[in-house]
């Protein structure tokens, strides 16, 4: 049922560029109205067979009139074309009635026995015009979500009270935004871009507080806050450099730079902020010791995971569950697996603990731990995958480690994020779609 609903919508969107060519302002209105009608129809009950028939017929009619439209690529290309003059970013918001999900069948969620991990897509899907490489819920906040997009903007949304709204859009980067991070108190977001700048934003009013240009003028690819001192941010660039920046001055911290073997793609501190891991596009993970007093970095260890496979994501966790108390590192690198490492010493030395099959050949996929859920039962991790699914794995299970698979995306799922109580999961994909999933208590 959900798939029919979704298809209908993607479908409306796909042809949207062709509608009212002289009055582009009506397009969003059209989609809104369709959404409303669908919602009202849904109240009277859905007849899936009929819908499918309707879809087919409509598709034939539209194809007759406007010529055939192929999948995603043409949808996006046409949206870009049409939006150039009026909207620089198409944003369509619609609401799917809750009861529509009462009948979701097994094909949409494989719930393989772990009751707490049943997530359903809720009310909202956002369509951005281009890929959404990162998204992240704010700290200790259930409903504040930020996304960055290759179109150069970041958006902060509030998901509650419904309907969800875009609170503020952070505009200023002159190139695709590659990464961002919330400060601990959520008052600041730092972002990196291929335009070669790090930007510091006020999340209340969307003002850019500071812009720090990369001294080498190279693309900035990743950033993270030092967890114990949010005045310091670490930034990685495409010329293999890592740099600690004092964001209250915008200056480089002396002794806070280092060089990797490739483009710096991913960063993660351990919780106390003493060890920093950085991954590059040649397949190496380096660990650094961080000196809290001075902000200096000391290179410690290097691990070549798989020569030539970009390390697209690293996340560190001090301990993942009662059963697995050792500090761990979760790594996405393009080897069709999600890797879980054990951190075996104070220098950040890694030892492979487990791996989980996913589809990962080239895209910048990310993964996360689910700390709360893991505390209650098992020890879970969640990852995006190139087969357009979100996977949940239980790291303590020896067989059938996969505990859930969420379907609904239409392209490689690039990032996933939980809100603070893990009642919501957000996922984004390479086609610009964001899905918010709500945990169902069973
Ligand atoms: C950042 O620096 C300012 C001024 O030096 C200080 O007042 C503030 O507490 C620092 N913030 C953090 C999170 O350390
Ligand atoms: C960052 O800059 C602020 C303001 O000048 C300064 O007070 C603070 O000590 C600096 N922090 C580090 C670690 O250099």
């Amino acid at each position: 049922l959900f798939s029919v609903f979704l298809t209908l919508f993607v479908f409306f969107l796909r042809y949207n560029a062709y509608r009212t060519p002289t009055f582009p302002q009506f397009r969003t209105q059209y989609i809104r109205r369709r959404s409303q009608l669908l919602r009202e129809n849904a109240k009277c009950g859905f007849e899936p067979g009929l819908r499918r028939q309707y879809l087919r017929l409509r598709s034939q009619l539209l194809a007759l009139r406007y010529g055939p439209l192929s999948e995603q690529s043409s949808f996006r290309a046409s949206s870009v074309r049409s939006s150039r003059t009026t909207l620089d970013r198409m944003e369509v918001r619609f609401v799917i009635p809750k009861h529509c999900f009462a009948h979701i069948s097994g094909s949409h969620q494989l719930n393989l026995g772990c009751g707490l991990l049943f997530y359903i897509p809720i009310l909202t899907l956002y369509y951005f015009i281009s890929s959404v490489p990162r998204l992240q819920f704010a700290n200790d906040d259930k409903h504040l979500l930020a996304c960055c997009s290759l179109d150069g903007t970041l958006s902060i949304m509030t998901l509650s009270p419904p309907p969800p709204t875009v609170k503020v859009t952070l505009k200023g980067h002159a190139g695709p935004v590659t990464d961002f991070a919330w400060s601990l108190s959520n008052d600041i977001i730092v972002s990196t871009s291929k335009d070669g700048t790090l930007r510091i934003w006020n999340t209340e009013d969307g003002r850019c507080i500071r812009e720090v240009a990369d001294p080498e003028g190279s693309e900035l690819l990743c950033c993270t806050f030092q967890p114990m001192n949010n005045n310091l941010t670490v930034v990685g660039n495409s010329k293999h450099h890592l740099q600690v920046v004092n964001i209250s001055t915008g200056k480089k911290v002396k002794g806070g730079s280092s060089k990797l073997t490739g483009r710096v793609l991913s960063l993660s501190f351990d919780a106390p902020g003493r060890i920093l891991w950085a991954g590059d596009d040649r397949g190496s993970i380096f660990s650094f010791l961080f000196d809290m007093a001075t902000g200096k970095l000391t290179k410690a260890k290097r691990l070549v995971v798989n020569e030539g496979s970009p390390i697209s994501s690293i996340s560190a966790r001090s301990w993942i569950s009662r059963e697995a108390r050792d500090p761990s590192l979760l790594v996405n690198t393009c080897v069709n697996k999600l890797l879980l490492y054990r951190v075996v010493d104070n220098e950040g030395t890694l030892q492979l603990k487990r791996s989980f099959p996913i589809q990962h050949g080239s895209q910048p996929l990310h993964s996360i731990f689910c700390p709360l859920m893991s505390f209650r039962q098992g020890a879970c991790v969640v990852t995006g995958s190139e087969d357009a699914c979100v996977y949940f794995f239980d790291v303590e299970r020896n067989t059938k480690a996969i505990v859930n698979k969420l379907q609904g995306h239409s392209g490689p799922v690039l990032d996933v994020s939980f809100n603070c109580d893990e009642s919501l999961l957000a996922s984004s994909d390479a086609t610009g779609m964001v899905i918010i999933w709500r945990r169902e208590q069973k």
Side-chain angles (χ1 to χ4, degrees):
L1 205 55
F2 177 59
S3 112
V4 177
F5 207 97
L6 195 62
T7 321
L8 269 172
F9 253 102
V10 169
F11 188 74
F12 295 149
L13 289 173
R14 211 164 272 165
Y15 279 97
N16 215 23
Y18 293 86
R19 278 184 200 110
T20 62
T22 41
F23 300 101
Q25 69 272 26
F26 288 146
R27 285 183 201 138
T28 313
Q29 204 176 330
Y30 173 80
I31 291 291
R32 286 219 179 97
R33 182 68 183 136
R34 288 296 329 191
S35 156
Q36 193 189 353
L37 288 173
L38 267 181
R39 233 178 307 150
E40 273 161 20
N41 275 343
K43 279 186 200 138
C44 321
F46 250 138
E47 217 286 75
L50 208 62
R51 289 275 148 189
R52 239 168 257 133
Q53 216 178 326
Y54 165 77
L55 254 182
R56 240 193 326 268
L57 194 62
R58 209 180 140 76
S59 148
Q60 282 163 2
L61 287 173
L62 284 169
L64 271 179
R65 171 126 203 208
Y66 302 109
L69 264 190
S70 62
E71 289 302 289
Q72 228 59 39
S73 57
S74 60
F75 158 52
R76 273 170 39 221
S78 59
S79 318
V80 172
R81 248 200 329 275
S82 73
S83 64
R84 195 152 292 153
T85 45
T86 48
L87 311 157
D88 48 27
R89 194 165 129 274
M90 186 174 80
E91 185 188 290
V92 180
R93 193 169 71 227
F94 57 93
V95 178
I96 297 171
K98 207 165 149 191
H99 60 265
C100 275
F101 299 104
H103 314 290
I104 288 176
S105 69
S107 69
H108 267 280
Q109 349 238 302
L110 288 176
N111 188 18
L112 305 177
C114 191
L116 280 172
L117 301 183
F118 191 72
Y119 278 79
I120 61 164
I122 56 159
L123 317 179
T124 330
L125 294 165
Y126 284 89
Y127 286 82
F128 290 81
I129 221 157
S130 63
S131 176
V132 178
R134 301 303 314 263
L135 85 180
Q136 213 182 350
F137 275 100
N139 297 302
D140 298 319
D141 192 299
K142 277 201 236 179
H143 300 118
L144 208 54
L145 175 72
C147 305
C148 68
S149 170
L150 293 190
D151 69 4
T153 63
L154 295 105
S155 306
I156 302 178
M157 305 162 197
T158 38
L159 304 180
S160 185
T165 47
V166 174
K167 191 180 145 207
V168 59
T169 304
L170 312 180
K171 285 187 186 155
H173 277 301
V177 181
T178 48
D179 196 9
F180 72 92
W182 288 94
S183 67
L184 269 180
S185 50
N186 300 331
D187 54 341
I188 283 173
I189 278 183
V190 292
S191 63
T192 49
S193 165
K194 291 197 173 175
D195 69 5
T197 65
L198 165 77
R199 282 178 184 253
I200 301 152
W201 308 88
N202 178 322
T203 55
E204 269 310 308
D205 57 11
R207 196 165 42 92
C208 179
I209 301 169
R210 185 163 281 125
E211 182 187 335
V212 184
D214 183 64
E216 299 176 279
S218 66
E219 297 179 345
L220 296 181
L221 305 176
C222 54
C223 59
T224 188
F225 274 108
Q226 150 62 246
M228 289 298 139
N229 179 355
N230 275 191
N231 276 335
L232 301 178
T233 299
V234 185
V235 185
N237 78 13
S238 63
K239 291 200 171 150
H240 310 186
H241 278 114
L242 200 66
Q243 176 66 54
V244 183
V245 177
N246 184 336
I247 63 165
S248 31
T249 58
K251 298 227 166 76
K252 297 199 302 181
V253 170
K254 238 174 130 189
S257 60
S258 191
K259 193 157 185 182
L260 274 57
T261 49
R263 292 152 57 88
V264 187
L265 300 182
S266 46
L267 296 167
S268 182
F269 271 103
D270 65 353
R274 284 192 303 257
I275 306 177
L276 170 73
W277 286 274
D280 67 26
D281 69 343
R282 301 270 175 88
S284 286
I285 299 178
F286 289 83
S287 69
F288 295 89
L289 304 182
F290 189 90
D291 185 86
M292 213 63 78
T294 60
K296 265 171 99 165
L297 287 177
T298 311
K299 203 183 261 182
K301 300 286 179 185
R302 176 186 177 195
L303 170 74
V304 181
V305 177
N306 186 48
E307 190 80 48
S309 300
I311 310 281
S312 59
S313 170
I314 299 179
S315 37
R317 185 108 224 136
S318 311
W319 61 286
I320 41 180
S321 76
R322 278 172 297 197
E323 294 78 33
R325 283 180 178 275
D326 30 36
S328 303
L329 207 69
L330 198 58
V331 173
N332 289 96
T333 177
C334 306
V335 294
N336 289 320
K337 282 180 204 154
L338 170 68
L339 306 175
L340 181 70
Y341 287 90
R342 193 180 278 126
V343 181
V344 295
D345 62 19
N346 291 333
E347 300 215 306
T349 304
L350 303 174
Q351 197 176 70
L352 187 65
K353 180 173 164 160
R354 287 203 65 172
S355 66
F356 308 96
I358 57 169
Q359 264 184 40
H360 191 185
S362 61
Q363 297 280 332
L365 305 187
H366 292 86
S367 55
I368 47 170
F369 289 95
C370 338
L372 298 182
M373 222 173 312
S374 300
F375 188 75
R376 289 193 288 264
Q377 60 170 101
C380 275
V381 294
V382 179
T383 183
S385 175
E386 286 174 1
D387 59 2
C389 296
V390 176
Y391 288 91
F392 286 62
F393 295 107
D394 186 335
V395 305
E396 294 302 304
R397 276 204 210 175
N398 287 323
T399 56
K400 283 197 184 157
I402 171 172
V403 288
N404 207 347
K405 174 176 168 181
L406 307 178
Q407 293 170 306
H409 276 284
S410 49
V413 180
L414 303 181
D415 201 8
V416 282
S417 176
F418 277 114
N419 68 349
C420 60
D421 67 357
E422 291 175 13
S423 59
L424 298 177
L425 172 75
S427 53
S428 65
D429 74 29
T431 73
M433 183 192 275
V434 172
I435 301 184
I436 314 295
W437 312 79
R438 189 186 55 220
R439 191 177 69 222
E440 283 292 275
Q441 297 288 358
K442 292 220 297 187

